[in-house]
């Protein structure tokens, strides 16, 4: 492995773009031109009710469905829906991905040789989650939605349904797709989902910019682990864990974000596949949460009902069970292939198909596909190539990348560095100059990229790069070359971590240690260096780096997730003090010993009888490498609660007048949230003011996390629970007050063992760092 002073990686991106364009041309497709639509001013269908934009979307959809033949109806039940030429309906492709930017995955979005060859690549979700800022998440969703609509207007998209975001709980640190999620906390995931969906879908629920789909309901967080596959895994989940951990993000997507789609997981939940559960899809999602939209299966999930999970005896039964349970569309062709025979065999009726199609076509009505040329849409018609990779979007990608960086260690204030004092730098590591290491999974073709090596070169002209390992697996390490380079350099940066070869869809980890010889290489380089080295980790999931925590020759550690197109610039800006780090870990970092517990145990709560420690900061009782919410700054910030709920010793007496606490079978005095009712819940709301001060020495942003704890952890009460967060930029010496809105029915309630939400009579404690405020509920 030769030492290099050049910036490689740009050629890799160019090669990817060229390959995508070549694939498009091989398929006989030259993307770009007129977008697909129905009901133009001269169309033969103009007089039909489904073309009347003045009518409600549901009425228009019902009219269209009534005009379809049975065969045409069946054809619409897959993600690649054929056109219906006699009604002027073009082909429609439901599957597009927009997890952290428009992606090359899916069927609906086309990069390549059209007017828009690239799209803004934001940081992977786990990185963005570390900012704890729902305003930032909204703006990212909004930017992606605009670029998606621009692609459609340019004729580079055959659909506007974005199967994002992923709001599953990152329950186990080994999960390969944890990188796609906002982390382990249900409050964070809930707020992320609602904010991202609102941005993606635009400002009008009747005129959607794009359609967002929250996935994968529910309790899905295993890929392939020691012979256990997501395709037949039966997740045994308690009602308590469903109520306060696994389901809240999906509820928030629908209730707060008004998501127009929910996707069901492959997983069986207590013996019933998610995509065949009427309790989940019909009773809960559509009944209790009032989904105004459609439900989709994960790809081939309906086939898996029959072939892998053996839930049904025949393919026809699988199709019928899913449709009757409340599923509207199958990703794949299985329903298209077997629905006709299911009808012929009497396994279902045409009304079951009609119900699904009405939901599907109502979304397409709301997207404007039956309102004539979309380029005439008043809200989104003018979006085009000039609205993709804009300076604003690129600046947002940099902002998000900067704000997600988490400073884990900074001994003796090694950071920030002053660029003029750095005579030379060694940048060592397989992730230091690899564009794909920036992007994570479900990525698109980025507008531009800066690797960590490229970012450091902007500050230090005399910088040399050495991979050290040929890949993240690091089966072979160039230790001698790396130590020689380290000895000859003023400062050493090690850019290590994981890649999609260790964690991705379909692949879970079995170890939390850095792969292969990474640890040995890092230690050897640190020992050889003139001064303490700086370790930068690009990973989605947590890693056990206890060795680096305790090694005095490793002076600073940064975690930077998979930071997107501007990731290298963001990392360098933090290293050299252009940006004061403010990120906080959205997951607990466990030690390697945690891997002795099986991934298949879905319980969040600990079990003292068996030694099972529980999961996440809310319940886990065991050693940690780093705690949830941990993150250092270059400044010292102080927070305290300065005002709360008036008379906190007897809060809620007026609002709870006439309502008596009930006694549960466990002997607890509680108020049932359902009995409190919406009006009382609204009257119980109160503000809490938190004072934040920056004691210096740098201006910067501080993230305030507010938790609640109960008087005990009996009955499965969490040790603590995040209930809100705010960010504030402060100059040195500046002091400001932040307002946090507390809704007791939402924030101070807990789930009983049967899943019922209750508020305990008595004390609750609001926590901000070391400060607490007691709130007592009395009737």
């Amino acid at each position: 492995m030769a030492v290099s002073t050049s910036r490689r990686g740009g050629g890799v991106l160019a090669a990817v773009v060229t390959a995508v364009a070549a694939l498009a041309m091989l398929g006989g497709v030259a993307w770009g031109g007129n977008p697909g639509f129905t009901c133009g001013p001269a169309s033969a269908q103009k007089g039909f009710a489904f073309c009347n934009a003045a009518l409600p979307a549901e009425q228009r959809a019902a009219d269209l469905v009534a005009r379809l033949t049975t065969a045409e109806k069946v054809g619409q039940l897959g993600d690649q829906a054929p056109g219906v030429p006699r009604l002027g309906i073009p082909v429609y492709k439901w599957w597009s991905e927009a997890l952290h930017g428009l992606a090359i995955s899916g069927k609906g979005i086309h990069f390549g040789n059209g007017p828009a060859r690239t799209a803004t690549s934001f940081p992977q979700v786990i990185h963005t989650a570390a900012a704890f800022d729902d305003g930032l998440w909204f703006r990212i969703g909004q930017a992606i939605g605009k670029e998606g609509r621009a692609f459609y207007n340019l004729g580079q998209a055959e659909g506007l349904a974005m199967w994002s975001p992923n709001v599953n709980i990152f329950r186990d640190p080994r999960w390969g797709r944890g990188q796609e999620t906002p982390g382990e906390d249900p409050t964070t995931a809930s707020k992320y989902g609602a904010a991202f969906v609102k941005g993606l879908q635009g400002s009008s629920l009747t005129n959607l910019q794009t359609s967002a789909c929250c996935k994968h309901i529910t309790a899905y967080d295993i890929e392939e682990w020691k012979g256990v596959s997501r395709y037949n895994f039966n997740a045994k989940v308690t009602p308590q864990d469903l109520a306060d951990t696994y389901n809240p993000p999906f509820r928030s997507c629908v209730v707060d974000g008004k998501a127009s789609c929910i996707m069901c997981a492959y997983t069986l939940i207590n013996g019933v596949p998610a995509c065949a559960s009427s309790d989940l899809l019909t009773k809960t999602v559509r009944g209790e949460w009032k989904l105004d939209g459609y439900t989709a299966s994960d790809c081939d999930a309906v086939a898996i009902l029959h072939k892998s999970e053996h839930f049904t005896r025949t393919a026809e039964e699988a199709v019928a069970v899913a449709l009757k349970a409340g599923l509207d569309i199958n990703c794949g062709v299985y329903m298209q292939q077997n629905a006709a025979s299911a009808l012929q065999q009497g396994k279902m009726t045409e009304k079951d198909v009609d119900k699904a199609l009405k939901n599907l076509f109502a979304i397409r009505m709301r997207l404007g596909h039956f309102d004539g040329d979309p380029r005439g849409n008043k809200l989104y018609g003018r979006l085009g190539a000039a609205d993709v990779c804009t300076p604003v979007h690129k600046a947002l990608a940099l902002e998000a990348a900067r704000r997600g960086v988490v400073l884990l260690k900074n001994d003796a204030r090694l950071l920030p560095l002053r660029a003029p004092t750095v005579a030379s730098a060694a940048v060592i590591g397989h992730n230091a100059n690899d564009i794909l290491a920036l992007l994570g999974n479900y990525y698109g073709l980025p507008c531009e990229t800066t690797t960590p090596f490229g970012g450091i070169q902007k500050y230090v002209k005399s910088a040399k790069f050495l991979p050290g390992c040929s890949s993240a697996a690091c089966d072979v390490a160039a230790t001698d070359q790396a130590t020689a380079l380290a000895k000859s350099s003023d400062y050493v940066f090690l850019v290590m971590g994981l890649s999609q070869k260790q964690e991705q869809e379909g692949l879970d980890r079995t170890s939390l240690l850095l792969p292969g010889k990474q640890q040995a290489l890092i230690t050897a380089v640190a020992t050889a260096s003139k001064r303490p080295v700086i370790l930068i980790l690009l990973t989605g999931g947590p890693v056990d780096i206890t060795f680096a925590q305790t090694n005095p020759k490793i002076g600073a550690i940064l975690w930077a997730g998979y930071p997107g197109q501007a990731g290298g610039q963001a990392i360098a800006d933090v290293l050299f003090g252009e940006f004061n780090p403010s990120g906080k870990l959205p997951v607990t970092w466990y030690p390697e010993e945690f891997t002795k517990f099986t991934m298949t145990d879905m319980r969040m709560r600990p079990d003292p009888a068996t030694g099972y420690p529980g999961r996440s900061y809310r319940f886990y009782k065991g050693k940690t490498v780093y705690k949830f919410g941990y993150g250092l700054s270059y400044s010292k910030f102080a927070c305290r609660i300065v005002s709360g709920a008036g008379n906190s010793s007897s809060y809620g007496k007026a609002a709870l007048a006439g309502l008596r606490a009930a006694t549960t079978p466990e002997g607890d005095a509680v108020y049932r949230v359902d009995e409190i009712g919406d009006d009382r819940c609204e009257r119980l709301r109160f503000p809490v003011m938190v004072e934040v001060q920056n004691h210096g020495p740098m201006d910067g942003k501080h993230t305030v996390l507010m938790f609640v704890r109960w008087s005990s952890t009996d009955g499965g009460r969490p040790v603590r629970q995040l209930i809100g967060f705010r960010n504030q930029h402060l100059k040195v010496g500046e002091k400001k007050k932040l307002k946090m809105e507390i809704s007791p029915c939402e924030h101070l309630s807990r789930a009983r063992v049967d899943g019922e939400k209750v508020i305990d009579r008595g004390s609750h404690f609001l926590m901000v760092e070391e400060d607490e405020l007691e709130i007592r509920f009395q009737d």
Side-chain angles (χ1 to χ4, degrees):
M1 299 179 200
V3 174
S4 169
T5 58
S6 66
R7 296 187 197 180
R8 70 176 176 87
V12 174
L13 176 62
V16 172
V17 173
T18 302
V20 171
L23 286 171
M25 294 308 295
L26 282 171
V29 179
W31 300 113
N34 295 323
F37 62 89
T38 306
C39 303
S43 72
Q45 297 78 31
K46 190 61 180 172
F48 295 161
F50 70 77
C51 285
N52 185 350
L55 296 176
E58 294 75 15
Q59 185 176 340
R60 299 173 69 191
D63 176 76
L64 191 156
V65 172
R67 298 177 187 277
L68 297 176
T69 67
T70 301
E72 289 167 343
K73 290 176 181 180
V74 167
Q76 299 297 310
L77 294 174
D79 67 281
Q80 297 189 67
V84 184
R86 67 183 185 84
L87 294 177
I89 301 172
V91 169
Y92 189 74
K93 296 183 179 178
W94 289 90
W95 179 16
S96 295
E97 300 285 354
L99 185 70
H100 55 107
L102 300 181
I104 57 177
S105 309
K107 307 292 185 182
I109 299 290
H110 304 293
F111 290 87
N113 63 337
R117 296 171 60 87
T118 59
T120 311
S121 182
F122 294 95
Q124 180 62 290
V125 177
I126 195 69
H127 179 104
T128 308
F132 285 95
D133 185 344
D134 48 1
L136 175 68
W137 303 334
F138 170 82
R139 288 187 287 136
I140 291 172
Q142 188 179 52
I144 297 169
K146 285 182 177 179
E147 295 195 355
R149 177 62 79 154
F151 266 64
Y152 192 82
N153 291 346
L154 292 167
Q156 288 184 241
E158 295 177 275
L160 282 168
M162 305 295 170
W163 286 355
S164 304
N166 181 341
V167 292
N168 289 117
I169 295 298
F170 196 169
R171 173 190 62 94
D172 190 289
R174 294 162 284 188
W175 185 31
R177 299 187 75 177
Q179 60 180 291
E180 301 175 27
T181 77
E184 71 183 34
D185 174 63
T187 296
T188 308
S190 296
K191 289 182 178 292
Y192 180 90
F196 187 84
V197 164
K198 287 178 181 178
L200 200 62
Q201 293 194 155
S203 57
S204 171
L205 291 176
T206 58
N207 187 2
L208 297 173
Q209 177 172 252
T210 65
S211 168
C213 191
C214 294
K215 60 187 185 184
H216 315 78
I217 197 168
T218 189
Y220 163 53
D221 56 1
I222 194 166
E223 298 300 307
E224 187 72 35
W225 179 82
K226 294 187 176 182
V228 178
S229 170
R230 60 179 176 164
Y231 298 129
N232 53 24
F233 174 56
N234 180 24
K236 297 177 182 178
V237 188
T238 68
Q240 193 173 31
D241 287 341
L242 277 175
D244 72 0
T245 300
Y246 296 115
N247 281 351
F250 295 99
R251 181 186 184 279
S252 184
C253 271
V254 176
V255 175
D256 302 321
K258 306 301 178 186
S260 50
C261 171
I262 289 288
M263 177 182 286
C264 53
Y266 296 116
T267 321
L268 293 94
I269 312 297
N270 299 323
V272 180
C275 293
S277 173
S278 58
D279 279 349
L280 185 62
L281 299 182
T282 298
K283 180 181 176 182
T284 301
V285 173
R286 203 172 287 282
E288 295 176 15
W289 301 345
K290 310 299 181 188
L291 172 69
D292 182 11
Y294 72 103
T295 56
S297 81
D298 207 338
C299 290
D300 295 319
V302 178
I304 286 165
L305 292 180
H306 171 52
K307 294 181 178 180
S308 297
E309 295 169 341
H310 308 295
F311 190 70
T312 64
R313 292 176 302 170
T314 67
E316 289 79 9
E317 287 177 355
V319 171
V321 164
L323 279 174
K324 288 180 177 180
L327 185 66
D328 295 321
I329 193 170
N330 170 53
C331 177
V333 298
Y334 201 71
M335 290 216 304
Q336 291 165 314
Q337 290 174 341
N338 296 291
S341 54
L343 288 169
Q344 291 166 1
Q345 294 174 20
K347 302 294 184 184
M348 63 185 189
T349 69
E350 199 158 334
K351 287 184 178 179
D352 296 317
V353 178
D354 289 351
K355 180 185 65 169
L357 296 192
K358 288 174 186 176
N359 293 329
L360 295 173
F361 278 110
I363 290 298
R364 293 179 62 179
M365 300 292 172
R366 291 164 62 189
L367 286 165
H369 295 155
F370 293 85
D371 297 339
D373 193 328
R375 292 169 296 191
N377 185 293
K378 291 181 180 179
L379 288 179
Y380 316 117
R382 294 184 179 180
L383 295 174
D387 300 287
V388 179
C389 290
T390 65
V392 171
H393 291 180
K394 288 190 251 186
L396 180 59
L398 176 59
E399 177 189 351
R402 283 171 158 182
R403 293 187 55 195
V405 172
V406 181
L407 180 62
L408 298 175
K409 180 180 179 180
N410 194 23
D411 285 356
R413 293 188 176 273
L414 175 60
L415 298 178
L417 300 174
R418 292 182 61 247
T421 67
V422 181
S424 62
V427 185
I428 299 169
H430 58 279
N431 281 338
N433 205 29
D434 181 358
I435 285 173
L436 292 180
L438 303 173
L439 304 181
N441 68 354
Y442 283 98
Y443 61 86
L445 303 180
C447 317
E448 58 192 21
T449 55
T450 303
T451 65
F453 177 52
I456 291 169
Q457 278 189 308
K458 293 180 180 179
Y459 287 94
V460 183
K461 300 305 179 187
S462 180
K464 293 183 178 181
F465 162 67
L466 179 76
C469 304
S470 59
S471 70
C474 202
D475 297 322
V476 178
T479 306
D480 291 344
Q481 287 178 276
T483 54
L485 179 59
K487 288 177 182 177
S488 66
S489 302
D490 194 18
Y491 282 86
V492 176
F493 304 89
L494 286 148
V495 190
M496 311 298 286
L498 306 178
S499 76
Q500 301 308 300
K501 295 294 180 66
Q502 287 77 44
E503 52 176 357
Q504 64 169 327
E505 183 169 3
L507 178 65
D508 298 313
R509 288 184 286 159
T510 56
S511 171
L512 298 179
L513 299 176
L514 289 172
K517 298 183 178 180
Q518 284 196 47
Q519 180 173 326
L521 176 66
I522 293 167
T523 302
V525 169
T527 301
S529 299
K530 298 176 183 177
R531 61 181 92 230
V533 302
I534 297 152
L535 175 61
I536 301 149
L537 296 169
L538 301 189
T539 75
V543 287
D544 183 350
I545 52 165
T546 304
F547 79 96
Q549 270 186 325
T550 57
N551 187 338
K553 287 299 298 286
I554 300 174
I557 305 173
L558 296 180
W559 175 78
Y562 296 121
Q565 65 178 47
Q569 183 63 54
I571 290 167
D573 289 346
V574 170
L575 293 172
F576 291 93
E578 183 68 21
F579 187 82
N580 193 346
S582 60
K584 307 287 186 184
L585 290 178
V587 289
T588 301
W589 283 33
Y590 301 86
E592 173 68 3
E593 65 190 56
F594 184 83
T595 60
K596 69 184 179 184
F597 300 104
T598 174
M599 270 192 81
T600 56
D601 193 327
M602 300 297 292
R603 293 174 297 167
M604 298 301 297
R605 272 86 179 165
D607 183 356
T610 62
Y612 178 66
R615 295 174 187 271
S616 86
Y617 78 95
R618 298 161 63 224
F619 304 107
Y620 176 63
K621 294 184 177 181
K623 296 178 182 177
T624 61
V625 179
Y626 291 108
K627 294 181 182 296
F628 172 91
Y630 180 82
L632 302 174
S633 169
Y634 295 149
S635 291
K636 181 180 179 181
F637 292 92
C639 298
R640 66 188 185 99
I641 301 172
V642 294
S643 66
N647 184 4
S648 59
S649 64
S650 59
Y651 178 72
K653 273 191 173 182
L656 295 173
L659 185 68
R660 291 292 178 183
T663 302
T664 68
E666 299 83 26
D668 299 318
V670 301
Y671 305 98
R672 293 186 167 93
V673 172
D674 285 347
E675 292 181 1
I676 294 174
D678 292 343
D679 290 343
R680 278 197 181 101
C681 282
E682 192 62 32
R683 294 202 302 273
L684 283 171
R685 287 179 175 271
F686 63 90
V688 173
M689 301 301 295
V690 178
E691 182 181 85
V692 189
Q693 185 171 9
N694 183 355
H695 292 286
M698 284 182 66
D699 297 349
K701 189 180 290 286
H702 186 61
T703 300
V704 177
L705 304 179
M706 179 173 283
F707 297 85
V708 64
R709 72 170 179 87
W710 288 261
S711 297
S712 79
T713 57
D714 294 344
R717 293 173 178 84
V719 175
R720 58 186 177 128
Q721 169 64 61
L722 182 69
I723 59 173
F725 41 82
R726 289 286 305 276
N727 308 96
Q728 182 62 56
H729 188 275
L730 296 164
K731 296 179 179 179
V732 174
E734 190 175 12
K735 182 189 298 183
K736 286 191 176 180
K737 292 180 180 179
L738 305 181
K739 183 178 180 181
M740 311 279 276
E741 284 288 340
I742 305 301
S743 170
C745 291
E746 177 186 357
H747 299 134
L748 306 187
S749 64
R750 64 177 178 88
R752 291 185 56 238
V753 292
D754 62 359
E756 180 187 27
K757 286 298 186 75
V758 298
I759 300 176
D760 287 321
R761 188 177 189 272
S763 296
H764 303 70
F765 300 89
L766 301 181
M767 307 165 61
V768 172
E769 296 180 6
E770 302 304 316
D771 203 15
E772 285 193 350
L773 173 68
E774 182 181 5
I775 305 292
R776 287 187 60 83
F777 274 82
Q778 305 283 358
D779 51 44

